[in-house]
Amino acid sequence: MRGVDSRKQKITKILIVGVILLCLNISAKADHITGGEIFYTFAGTTNGNNSYNVTFKLFMRCNSGRQFNNPTVVSIFDKGTNQRVSDINVNLSSSETIQITNPDPCITDPPKVCYVVGYYNFSINLPANANGYTLSSQVNYRIQGINNLQSFYSNIGATYTADIPGNPATINNSAKFTGSDLVVVCANNRFSYSFGATDPDSDELRYSFCEAYRSGIGGNNVIPPPQPPYLSVPYGNGFTESTPLGTNVQIDPRTGLITGIAPASGVV
């Protein structure tokens, strides 16, 4: 799971990386949603309302037998009060297939790493306020057999969010991850992977691991997400929200580079 919290603290934006999936020499039989993110650009102000162009991006296993929700629901909440502002039905704009063609030579029998990426593009108009806004959307289910969750959770739903800061920083563009979104590393071996991002406002970026959010629904129902705050997924098996890839893996707070010794084989 990928998440961006674009809160402005002076000139700093904090990017939170809630990692649920890296492919660690896994089989290709698991399915469903493997990650996502929400990002936006400022599009101007008219009659006191700020306009933003928003993209909700989801990743799904190839040949999973599932389709992206079309439409899906993206909800807007007041960031200060957590009160619901509106729910928007958003149609799937486009999709593409990405895959690894040259895996790491350390893998003798590499799995097929292939994702379908879905894009929901839409625009919103919001009155400027002191609190700012939270955008969120939820899906079920994540990929099956996630190793860094409690053992009785074979898969679980996901909620993805992005924050729009309040006055005076409402004229804001969110940061956007720049990685290829594809990675296979060898279990119990040293690796590095960049979760770096770019920011159109040239704001300073800081990175940290955080909890990934579970959804508030069951089954494949397409309904608005509940209001924040959101519950964390149930980490287990020695993993936590601050060590979602194990205690031997760190993220550089200045660059977003993830390095360390990969955990045992599985989906984490």
Side-chain angles (χ1 to χ4, degrees):
M1 175 261 185
R2 312 181 71 177
V4 179
D5 181 343
S6 49
R7 294 170 292 179
K8 274 195 174 179
Q9 299 178 350
K10 295 183 179 178
I11 62 168
T12 302
K13 289 180 181 174
I14 309 298
L15 278 79
I16 52 177
V17 181
V19 176
I20 280 292
L21 175 70
L22 281 179
C23 301
L24 304 173
N25 199 13
I26 61 174
S27 68
K29 63 182 180 182
D31 58 8
H32 295 180
I33 300 301
T34 61
E37 62 178 306
I38 301 175
F39 52 89
Y40 61 86
T41 57
F42 177 73
T45 300
T46 304
N47 298 325
N49 289 334
N50 293 317
S51 298
Y52 302 90
N53 296 322
V54 184
T55 297
F56 178 31
K57 182 179 179 182
L58 282 176
F59 299 81
M60 181 174 59
R61 279 279 182 186
C62 294
N63 304 313
S64 68
R66 175 178 172 171
Q67 296 181 341
F68 290 114
N69 294 330
N70 192 15
T72 196
V73 179
V74 177
S75 296
I76 304 172
F77 300 90
D78 184 289
K79 186 170 171 58
T81 65
N82 290 330
Q83 294 300 304
R84 190 179 303 273
V85 175
S86 64
D87 302 314
I88 306 171
N89 288 324
V90 183
N91 292 324
L92 183 69
S93 303
S94 62
S95 63
E96 63 174 334
T97 299
I98 59 175
Q99 57 187 322
I100 290 181
T101 56
N102 295 302
D104 194 300
C106 70
I107 303 175
T108 57
D109 185 19
K112 180 180 180 182
V113 180
C114 176
Y115 299 112
V116 180
V117 186
Y119 298 89
Y120 299 86
N121 300 316
F122 60 101
S123 297
I124 54 176
N125 296 292
L126 298 171
N129 71 12
N131 294 330
Y133 299 92
T134 296
L135 311 181
S136 69
S137 189
Q138 61 182 0
V139 295
N140 270 353
Y141 292 102
R142 297 179 188 269
I143 193 170
Q144 295 179 7
I146 300 174
N147 291 22
N148 61 356
L149 302 185
Q150 296 176 21
S151 57
F152 51 88
Y153 286 89
S154 62
N155 55 10
I156 192 171
T159 296
Y160 301 104
T161 69
D163 288 346
I164 298 176
N167 292 335
T170 51
I171 301 175
N172 179 71
N173 298 278
S174 68
K176 181 179 178 182
F177 289 111
T178 58
S180 68
D181 306 310
L182 291 171
V183 58
V184 176
V185 299
C186 293
N188 301 310
N189 277 257
R190 182 166 295 280
F191 79 101
S192 65
Y193 178 72
S194 175
F195 247 103
T198 58
D199 185 82
D201 303 324
S202 298
D203 290 337
E204 181 183 4
L205 301 179
R206 292 290 181 181
Y207 303 82
S208 64
F209 288 132
C210 75
E211 74 276 15
Y213 296 140
R214 68 176 76 185
S215 70
I217 57 174
N220 290 327
N221 299 313
V222 183
I223 61 175
Q227 67 186 61
Y230 298 113
L231 296 174
S232 170
V233 297
Y235 289 96
N237 300 316
F239 298 93
T240 69
E241 62 188 45
S242 60
T243 58
L245 298 175
T247 56
N248 293 322
V249 178
Q250 301 80 37
I251 186 169
D252 189 311
R254 298 167 301 170
T255 66
L257 182 66
I258 298 174
T259 58
I261 305 299
S265 177
V267 180
V268 298

